[in-house]
Structure formats: structure tokens, C-alpha cells
Amino acid sequence: MDKDIQEVLFTADQIQERIRQLGQELTRDYEGKFPVVVGVLKGVVVFYADMVRQIQTHCQMDFMTISSYQGTQSTGNMVVKGDISADLKGRHVLVLEDIYDTGNSLTFVREHLLSKEPASLKICTLFDKPERRKPGITLQADYVGFTIPNAFVVGYGLDYNEKYRNLPYVGILKPEIYQ
Ligand code: IMP
Ligand code: MG
């Protein structure tokens, strides 16, 4: 285990098992629909690579990058830094996210993608932290890997200051690392 990790929340095996289950659901729901699977970079890359390999029907892969300008407002102002390349009009879109936290990112991503007039849009997030949701955000993810308490987690794509994304498990950092 990495020396900066205080506690492992989900082992690599536990994550893979949950992804296999989600894969069965997604395969059933998207059979023959040739969905565009949109990943929100960068945190999603590890989950994305494992998740699409459990979807046993054709799917198209695409990615977008967003960033937030932390202004004086408490709401993060989001902007698209890199857009997807597929034409979404009339297509079934499945958004993959690493973690659904305050809801700013997914709300923004959803609005952005809906403006491209897809036939449907659903959201699959590996982790959901409902306690952190900003008041007023009612959007629910359609598929959730794990619902977790209000803790900052790293690993399996999730970072703290761009570190720990390559850990194969998900854990909580030691408090002294945040200082
Ligand atoms: P939201 O817009 O607040 O829902 O934040 C979503 C984004 O914040 C995620 O895609 C992550 O990049 C980041 N994030 C939120 N919680 C965590 C965490 O516990 N660990 C690492 N990154 C996080
Ligand atoms: Mg992210």
C-alpha cells in the first residue's frame, strides 16, 4: 500500500466485481443501440477502460475535458476545454464519470451534451457522494458503482494534486498529506 494512504476503501478486486455487475446492466440496457460512451477526463480514464470492456455490445468511445474557474462565487464556473468529436444528434449517450460530488461538473456536462440533441442521455458514475450535493441539484446518476460517505478519496483515476491516479485501489489519504 502507498505510504500516504490511511485506509483502503475498495480493493482492485472489489472494484472489478462491481464493474462486472454494472457491465451486465449496461449490456442489457444498450444492446443493439450502439451508444456513444462519453468519458469526462482525466479522472475517469482508469474506470473508463475497465467499464467499456464489460459492455458486451458495440459502443463508440469519446471524451471531453472540462475545467472550472474558481471565482468569488461558491458555484464553480465550468467551461469545455476539449469537446467530443462524435455527432450526438439522435444517438444514445452514456456519460461515464469517476465521482459525483457537488454535482457542478455533471450538471454542466449534461446540459452541454443535451444541447447536441441526443436520443437519450444517461449517467454512470463509479462513486457517488450524495452528502456533498449542492442544494438545488436534483440530478441523479442512472448507474452508481458505490455510494460513499463524505471523504476525499484517491486512486483508480482519482487524484490529489495530480498524484495517486495510478493506484489500483481507492483509499483515503493520511490527514498530514493535505497540509
Ligand atoms: P463535482 O463537480 O463537485 O461533482 O466534482 C466532480 C469532480 O471533482 C470529479 O470528477 C473529481 O475530479 C473531483 N472530485 C470530487 N470528489 C473527489 C474525491 O474525493 N477525490 C478526488 N477527486 C474528487
Ligand atoms: Mg473528474
Side-chain angles (χ1 to χ4, degrees), residues 97-106 129 151-153 158-159:
E97 247 287 38
D98 49 4
I99 191 161
Y100 187 20
D101 189 41
T102 65
N104 284 330
S105 309
L106 274 178
K129 287 199 276 193
F152 193 82
V153 293
L158 291 159
D159 74 307

Side-chain angles (χ1 to χ4, degrees), residues 40-44 66 68 76 78 97-108 125 127 129 132-134 137 148-155 157-161 165 170-171 178:
V40 185
L41 297 173
K42 295 183 273 199
V44 82
I66 56 172
S68 59
M78 312 298 302
E97 247 287 38
D98 49 4
I99 191 161
Y100 187 20
D101 189 41
T102 65
N104 284 330
S105 309
L106 274 178
T107 302
F108 174 78
T125 185
F127 297 107
K129 287 199 276 193
R132 286 265 305 162
R133 209 78 82 242
K134 236 176 53 182
I137 294 190
I148 62 170
N150 182 8
F152 193 82
V153 293
V154 297
L158 291 159
D159 74 307
Y160 174 65
N161 287 345
R165 291 193 198 274
V170 166
Y178 295 103

